[in-house]
Amino acid sequence: MESQEELFRSIYMRYLPLVRIIARKYLIPEDDMDDVAQDVFAAFYRTYELDKPDDENRRLLTRISNNCCLNYKRKQRTHPEFSCDPGMILDELHSDSFLSNDSLTILLKKQEYERVARALGSLKREWADVFRLHVIEGRPMAQVAEILGVTESTCRMRLSRGREHLRAMFQKQREADERLGNNFPDAIGLRELRI
């Protein structure tokens, strides 16, 4: 008879690929996938006996994985962690040209980055998924289609609609700024995001 630790280790090794597949379907970033998997297996270990049949373990781990992924997504909606390209943003914020600007210019640039992040958060999920994978993460459209389980033409259509939505949103904001007499520069991130 296997010890609890050995039994848990064998369950972990057997079902980790399943948990990662489910996390991928929820578009959990690769960097966070191990954290979600750890939450899944910790919940399984705390809640259930380890000596269940394989089909029962698979069913339970699938259900726990779905719930943990949904919890992750809910947390992201409540506390979004958007970064177009952290390196680009940090480079921009700490560049010599940025440091030589006055406080008002620095504040305006930070507000513009926040505006872009909010705009991306307003996209429909299906548009945002394609936008994040293709534009922000730089994945090829074929890979995006494979991850999302749709055709490349569907991905292109979703990307086009997402860009159209963002353009309209930024145009409304520019018009509102002009009516208020704000002469802020165009969105800093629009060029980088290819909108």
Side-chain angles (χ1 to χ4, degrees):
M1 182 134 177
E2 293 181 279
S3 72
Q4 290 285 71
E5 185 177 324
E6 291 170 344
L7 189 56
F8 180 74
R9 188 179 310 257
S10 69
I11 290 171
Y12 178 84
M13 296 308 290
R14 172 177 274 152
Y15 293 106
L16 180 61
L18 171 70
V19 172
R20 291 181 67 81
I21 287 169
I22 293 169
R24 242 181 238 110
K25 286 184 180 179
Y26 281 92
L27 299 174
I28 306 295
E30 289 289 328
D31 294 343
D32 296 335
M33 216 174 275
D34 290 332
D35 294 337
V36 171
Q38 181 179 352
D39 292 343
V40 168
F41 286 104
F44 178 78
Y45 185 80
R46 282 191 311 267
T47 310
Y48 299 104
E49 295 294 322
L50 299 178
D51 56 354
K52 295 188 177 311
D54 281 343
D55 59 334
E56 181 75 5
N57 285 339
R58 182 180 180 86
R59 185 183 63 77
L60 291 171
L61 284 165
T62 299
R63 188 175 77 208
I64 295 169
S65 296
N66 286 323
N67 290 336
C68 285
C69 289
L70 287 172
N71 288 342
Y72 174 87
K73 288 300 204 180
R74 285 185 192 117
K75 180 183 170 198
Q76 291 302 307
R77 266 184 271 155
T78 308
H79 308 289
E81 294 178 12
F82 170 76
S83 64
C84 176
D85 176 3
M88 178 200 63
I89 292 173
L90 290 174
D91 288 347
E92 179 70 23
L93 290 175
H94 298 295
S95 70
D96 292 336
S97 64
F98 198 63
L99 292 174
S100 65
N101 292 328
D102 60 8
S103 298
L104 178 61
T105 305
I106 293 170
L107 176 65
L108 290 176
K109 284 186 178 185
K110 286 182 180 179
Q111 287 177 342
E112 204 58 47
Y113 279 118
E114 290 170 3
R115 185 186 297 183
V116 170
R118 278 194 308 275
L120 291 174
S122 75
L123 290 175
K124 285 184 178 180
R125 181 177 177 190
E126 60 187 20
W127 299 346
D129 292 343
V130 174
F131 200 91
R132 180 178 59 81
L133 291 169
H134 182 66
V135 176
I136 296 174
E137 293 183 11
R139 296 176 189 241
M141 194 60 79
Q143 185 181 19
V144 173
E146 183 182 327
I147 290 170
L148 297 176
V150 296
T151 64
E152 283 187 55
S153 61
T154 300
C155 286
R156 283 192 289 279
M157 183 236 356
R158 289 178 180 178
L159 181 62
S160 174
R161 289 183 180 167
R163 283 182 171 151
E164 189 176 306
H165 173 79
L166 290 172
R167 276 189 209 106
M169 187 176 200
F170 282 114
Q171 182 60 37
K172 285 179 188 176
Q173 184 63 47
R174 275 193 289 274
E175 290 169 2
D177 286 344
E178 288 172 6
R179 280 194 303 275
L180 295 172
N182 298 334
N183 293 323
F184 297 141
D186 285 343
I188 294 165
L190 295 182
R191 243 183 340 276
E192 290 88 353
L193 297 175
R194 294 180 276 167
I195 296 175

